[in-house]
């Protein structure tokens, strides 16, 4: 597929997607999100890959939604556009998804990072949800995922009063996994992706599913789901290989079956 708003490549066993609307600070529009979801689905279906990295450019991971395309939209038009629903596709990706955030991640850009499984940030990164300043609220998961990541009090301040977090603050409050110099950000993200790709793929996917369900189900339901996924892995070749390799003190040869 020929993309116009993203760049797509593979690095070893990692898929790499770079948002590529530099003239608009990678603002998210219908075309970009459609291309992004298509690229993610293609990487997710590629058995040669074990993880996916999503990044932007030096100035911006993504500056938010493209307001030019929304300013005059009616409620009916914005409902029928399907723009917000495109974010739902990220939750369907089974492989680990790593956001490498450089520069600003505001509004929809912050929500895009929040929808990923791990976030690495460069020292100059900034996170914010300024939608209230233009008369709306976050609509692609920001009020829900940010609250779960950093708690109610700070989320209220960020969304109601446009507080932005520096990379160091984001690390302190548990929003990101690591903060790195700009020149190391992408390499570290790809190294992390390679490390994840070296794990038992079915176990990694099951673990991701169980962890995400912790934010969506009750503790009782979550424990039930976790246990069911645990049991099911004993019907896989990878479970037998992993445990036999452990007992034989050798490196496992994962087959993803």
């Amino acid at each position: 597929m020929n993309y116009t708003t993203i760049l797509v490549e593979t690095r070893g066993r990692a898929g790499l997607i770079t948002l590529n609307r530099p003239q608009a600070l990678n603002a998210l529009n219908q075309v970009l999100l459609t291309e992004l979801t298509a690229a993610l689905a293609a990487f997710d279906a590629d058995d040669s890959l074990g993880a996916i990295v999503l990044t932007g450019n030096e100035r911006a991971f993504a500056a938010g939604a493209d307001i030019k395309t929304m300013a005059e939209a009616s409620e009916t038009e914005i409902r029928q556009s399907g723009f917000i629903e495109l974010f739902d596709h990220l939750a369907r990706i089974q492989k680990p998804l790593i956001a490498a955030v450089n520069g600003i991640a505001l509004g929809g850009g912050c929500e895009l990072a929040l929808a990923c499984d791990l976030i690495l940030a460069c020292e100059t990164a900034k996170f914010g949800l300024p939608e209230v300043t233009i008369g709306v609220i976050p609509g692609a998961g920001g009020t829900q995922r940010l609250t779960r990541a950093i708690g109610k009090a700070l989320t209220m301040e960020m969304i109601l009063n446009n507080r932005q977090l520096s990379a160091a603050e984001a690390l302190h409050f548990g929003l990101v996994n690591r903060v790195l110099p700009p020149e190391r950000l992408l390499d570290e993200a790809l190294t992390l992706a390679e490390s994840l790709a070296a794990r038992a793929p079915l176990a990694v996917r099951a673990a991701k599913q169980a962890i995400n369900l912790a934010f969506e189900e009750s503790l009782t339901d979550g424990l039930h789901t976790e246990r069911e996924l645990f049991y099911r892995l004993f019907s896989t070749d990878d479970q037998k290989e992993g445990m036999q390799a452990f007992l034989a003190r050798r490196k496992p040869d994962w087959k993803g079956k």
Side-chain angles (χ1 to χ4, degrees):
M1 181 174 178
N2 294 322
Y3 299 109
T4 61
T5 61
I6 61 174
L7 302 174
V8 176
E9 60 183 298
T10 58
R11 301 277 190 93
R13 295 198 61 204
L16 173 61
I17 301 173
T18 303
L19 305 182
N20 190 38
R21 295 188 72 212
Q23 73 285 359
L25 295 177
N26 291 331
L28 308 175
N29 61 13
Q30 194 97 11
V31 174
L32 187 151
L33 285 177
T34 300
E35 293 187 345
L36 174 60
T37 57
L40 287 170
F43 279 155
D44 205 34
D46 187 341
D47 290 338
S48 70
L49 303 177
I52 306 167
V53 175
L54 176 61
T55 193
N57 56 44
E58 292 180 1
R59 295 180 63 195
F61 177 72
D66 193 336
I67 303 304
K68 292 179 181 178
T69 65
M70 293 181 162
E72 300 301 323
S74 67
E75 178 183 345
T76 299
E77 288 169 337
I78 203 69
R79 282 182 183 273
Q80 294 178 348
S81 70
F83 176 76
I84 292 294
E85 285 72 17
L86 286 168
F87 282 85
D88 296 341
H89 290 269
L90 276 74
R92 300 175 191 146
I93 302 302
Q94 295 182 303
K95 293 173 182 173
L97 182 55
I98 303 166
V101 177
N102 30 15
I104 56 175
L106 303 178
C110 185
E111 290 175 303
L112 187 60
L114 286 168
C116 296
D117 302 308
L118 302 104
I119 305 176
L120 306 190
C122 76
E123 294 165 340
T124 59
K126 287 190 177 297
F127 298 85
L129 292 166
E131 284 87 346
V132 166
T133 67
I134 56 172
V136 291
I137 67 170
T143 64
Q144 304 303 300
R145 290 193 174 99
L146 188 64
T147 304
R148 286 163 169 76
I150 64 174
K152 175 183 174 181
L154 187 54
T155 298
M156 284 285 190
E157 188 174 358
M158 289 182 67
I159 294 178
L160 272 59
N161 203 38
N162 193 25
R163 175 174 173 180
Q164 295 184 9
L165 296 185
S166 67
E169 289 175 317
L171 181 64
H172 174 74
F173 291 116
L175 182 60
V176 306
N177 296 81
R178 304 175 197 171
V179 175
L180 301 153
E183 65 275 10
R184 288 180 50 203
L185 176 67
L186 186 56
D187 286 344
E188 288 284 339
L190 290 168
T191 297
L192 176 58
E194 284 285 353
S195 178
L196 293 170
R199 311 291 178 186
L202 297 179
V204 167
R205 293 175 198 176
K208 170 178 170 172
Q209 180 183 349
I211 293 167
N212 284 331
L213 285 175
F215 296 101
E216 300 170 13
E217 297 183 345
S218 68
L219 177 59
T220 299
D221 290 340
L223 288 171
H224 174 78
T225 300
E226 177 193 70
R227 193 165 301 160
E228 183 62 25
L229 290 167
F230 173 78
Y231 289 148
R232 289 179 189 176
L233 286 169
F234 278 79
S235 68
T236 67
D237 293 343
D238 277 356
Q239 174 268 326
K240 300 297 185 291
E241 168 64 12
M243 292 191 175
Q244 289 168 2
F246 174 82
L247 293 173
R249 298 184 180 181
R250 61 174 174 80
K251 185 177 179 180
D253 181 18
W254 306 119
K255 301 298 185 183
K257 296 189 295 184

